[in-house]
Amino acid sequence: MRLDEWQQVKIGKICDVGSSKRIYMKEYVPTGIPFYRSKEIINQFKGEPLSDTLFISEKRFKEIKEKFGVPSQGDILLTSVGTIGVPYLVKENDEFYFKDGNLTWFKNFKNSVRSKYIYYWLQSDLGKKEINSIIIGSTQQALTIESIKKMNILLPPRTIQNKIISILDGIDKKIEINREMNITLEKMALELYKNWFIDKGIDQEQFTINDVKISEFSKIIGGGTPKTNIDEYWSGDIPWISVKDLNSSIIIDTEKKITELGLNNSSTKLIPKFSTVISARGTIGNISILGNEMAMNQSCYAIKAEKEFHIFTYLSIKHSIEKLISNSHGSVFSTITKSTLESIDFPFNESLCSLFEKRVGSFFDQILNNINQNKVLNSTREYLIPRLLSGEINMLEEIEKVREVISNEQPEPSI
């Protein structure tokens, strides 16, 4: 890689930088074309599902598209207020509009640059350093369009950009394939649960299904929070779950961690691996299985399955989420209490549960494998991006390393 071929240029010289036309609150409609704020772009970047999405009418979208244009494949949106610097590369079939001021729009890239290269650069330490240098505001941080245009980028020839993109694309595509596979596997398991336990599409003479309380097949466990003003309780190696960590079917890590001292001097406790955890206050109804032993805060409940009916327990609660939410308490904020969980009836037959666990166990083994593999892929990605975009490392050697990671199937314990 010849660094003397790389050139330092300003972003405003290689693409158009701007924003959207203003959409007023009165223009929001119940359904139509999605209208994204920073929140939705951050969800998209992380591959997380969207919720509480706003919409504008198809008529209004068409007007804007014809007069001013809308985001199209290859364009980039960058969060520019609040949570700064999260990019989204617009995909082929995307159709949405977005909030002015919240997001900055990169489009009409010159022939010398690939927009995907800029997308990766915005995620690199080099890009983040440039972004941090132009942030304004102390209470509400923001980026201005004029300052973004003046950001400097070290740009290699297009042929080098293509090689770098091919390496990082390979990782991103594998991560996306794993995510999609996990959605499909969980959907298959949930369909089988509905067929066997709800629709009773099985031999009723062999398996008599009764409605039972949750205590018949599991135990409810509460959480707690170590004192936040004691530093010795925090930044340890024990994962500690808060509501925002419950964002996939199986979780293997958390944003915050506590120490053994924090665990022993608070009401939180270690929750066994493969327990189901549900958010019970604030954003209620988020649900995950634990891929490792973890602690959690008091805004969640853990449900520890008896007789290793782990997946049955998870899917039983997931299938009953709407009923749990409708039975929640609280005049200002909805809350799922222990009595809410205990009030619901679940279809149950012990022999059928055992058979069900054997049937869908391999589905969740694969989901856990994919999540662990994505963790390795994301670490590899984080390692490569700053080095590739600064020309530090030999790309051919790194291509082989990436291929090894992508093809590496890691054995994981069974649920």
Side-chain angles (χ1 to χ4, degrees):
M1 193 182 298
R2 290 180 53 191
L3 282 176
D4 59 349
E5 295 178 325
W6 295 43
Q7 292 185 331
Q8 184 161 289
V9 296
K10 296 196 180 299
I11 289 289
K13 295 291 184 184
I14 55 175
C15 65
D16 293 341
V17 181
S19 188
S20 61
K21 292 297 169 187
R22 178 154 296 180
I23 298 292
Y24 297 95
M25 192 179 295
K26 64 184 179 183
E27 296 180 271
Y28 298 159
V29 295
T31 60
I33 303 298
F35 182 71
Y36 291 166
R37 301 152 290 183
S38 292
K39 182 171 84 78
E40 284 78 20
I41 291 299
I42 293 169
N43 286 142
Q44 296 273 37
F45 176 75
K46 292 181 178 177
E48 296 175 354
L50 304 183
S51 61
D52 304 323
T53 304
L54 302 175
F55 297 93
I56 60 173
S57 69
E58 291 189 18
K59 181 183 176 185
R60 180 68 172 128
F61 178 76
K62 191 175 178 184
E63 284 175 2
I64 295 169
K65 185 176 182 178
E66 290 174 352
K67 290 183 181 176
F68 311 106
V70 297
S72 59
Q73 183 180 9
D75 291 356
I76 296 171
L77 295 180
L78 183 73
T79 59
S80 300
V81 174
T83 302
I84 299 283
V86 179
Y88 178 67
L89 187 70
V90 180
K91 297 175 183 171
E92 182 179 2
N93 296 318
D94 278 343
E95 190 172 61
F96 67 90
Y97 204 56
F98 64 97
K99 189 174 176 63
D100 65 305
N102 276 211
L103 299 160
T104 302
W105 187 5
F106 298 67
K107 61 181 178 178
N108 299 328
F109 290 86
K110 306 294 184 192
N111 289 334
S112 60
V113 62
R114 295 275 311 273
S115 66
K116 190 169 279 187
Y117 185 86
I118 304 301
Y119 170 70
Y120 287 124
W121 179 80
L122 289 167
Q123 298 170 58
S124 71
D125 290 343
L126 297 168
K128 289 175 183 173
K129 186 178 177 182
E130 283 290 318
I131 290 170
N132 288 336
S133 71
I134 59 170
I135 289 176
I136 60 170
S138 53
T139 306
Q140 176 79 312
Q141 295 189 324
L143 301 174
T144 67
I145 290 173
E146 289 308 310
S147 61
I148 290 174
K149 288 179 180 176
K150 294 174 184 173
M151 287 197 305
N152 292 307
I153 175 173
L154 190 60
L155 193 66
R158 192 177 167 96
T159 53
I160 301 296
Q161 292 176 45
N162 288 339
K163 289 180 181 177
I164 292 173
I165 289 169
S166 72
I167 296 172
L168 298 175
D169 251 3
I171 298 175
D172 283 354
K173 284 176 181 171
K174 180 59 179 170
I175 290 173
E176 188 59 28
I177 288 170
N178 285 345
R179 281 179 184 155
E180 291 175 358
M181 187 186 299
N182 285 355
I183 291 170
T184 300
L185 287 167
E186 183 171 344
K187 194 178 290 183
M188 289 166 59
L190 190 57
E191 286 300 319
L192 191 64
Y193 170 84
K194 288 178 184 173
N195 179 264
W196 283 17
F197 293 95
I198 306 300
D199 301 332
K200 300 179 181 175
I202 53 170
D203 184 350
Q204 284 295 293
E205 291 186 3
Q206 185 179 359
F207 299 107
T208 302
I209 298 173
N210 298 310
D211 288 338
V212 303
K213 299 299 181 188
I214 198 168
S215 58
E216 189 76 21
F217 57 87
S218 63
K219 182 171 69 176
I220 301 171
I221 306 169
T225 302
K227 289 183 178 177
T228 55
N229 60 345
I230 299 180
D231 293 342
E232 289 79 9
Y233 290 175
W234 295 91
S235 303
D237 55 9
I238 301 172
W240 180 79
I241 303 165
S242 62
V243 173
K244 59 187 172 186
D245 294 310
L246 304 176
N247 52 21
S248 64
S249 54
I250 301 177
I251 56 171
I252 59 172
D253 205 358
T254 58
E255 184 177 310
K256 293 184 178 178
K257 294 182 175 62
I258 61 173
T259 62
E260 195 78 27
L261 199 61
L263 180 72
N264 294 333
N265 290 281
S266 70
S267 57
T268 193
K269 54 189 76 69
L270 280 178
I271 309 299
K273 187 176 182 178
F274 301 142
S275 296
T276 291
V277 172
I278 181 170
S279 59
R281 297 181 185 85
T283 302
I284 63 173
N286 289 359
I287 179 171
S288 298
I289 294 179
L290 303 190
N292 299 304
E293 194 177 53
M294 300 180 184
M296 65 179 187
N297 70 13
Q298 62 276 17
S299 293
C300 303
Y301 281 113
I303 299 97
K304 167 71 175 65
E306 305 289 352
K307 298 184 179 179
E308 300 190 341
F309 296 153
H310 307 295
I311 302 169
F312 168 79
T313 298
Y314 169 71
L315 294 176
S316 293
I317 296 170
K318 184 152 191 168
H319 183 263
S320 300
I321 283 293
E322 290 184 8
K323 192 181 291 185
L324 283 165
I325 291 174
S326 66
N327 288 0
S328 61
H329 304 279
S331 56
V332 180
F333 300 107
S334 297
T335 303
I336 294 175
T337 64
K338 189 176 179 183
S339 63
T340 313
L341 285 162
E342 290 171 335
S343 69
I344 302 290
D345 289 329
F346 297 92
F348 179 76
N349 175 288
E350 187 170 325
S351 298
L352 188 60
C353 285
S354 296
L355 191 62
F356 182 75
E357 290 290 326
K358 289 176 185 172
R359 181 69 68 87
V360 300
S362 60
F363 296 0
F364 279 74
D365 287 346
Q366 185 61 53
I367 289 174
L368 187 55
N369 282 344
N370 290 341
I371 289 172
N372 276 299
Q373 190 178 60
N374 276 1
K375 184 178 181 182
V376 175
L377 288 166
N378 274 312
S379 297
T380 305
R381 188 179 189 278
E382 291 301 309
Y383 168 82
L384 286 176
I385 284 179
R387 288 162 179 79
L388 286 172
L389 272 64
S390 62
E392 279 185 31
I393 54 179
N394 184 302
M395 285 192 294
L396 292 177
E397 289 180 4
E398 295 312 316
I399 287 172
E400 289 309 313
K401 288 181 184 176
V402 170
R403 283 177 178 157
E404 286 177 15
V405 171
I406 290 176
S407 62
N408 183 28
E409 295 295 336
Q410 301 167 43
E412 294 294 339
S414 297
I415 288 179

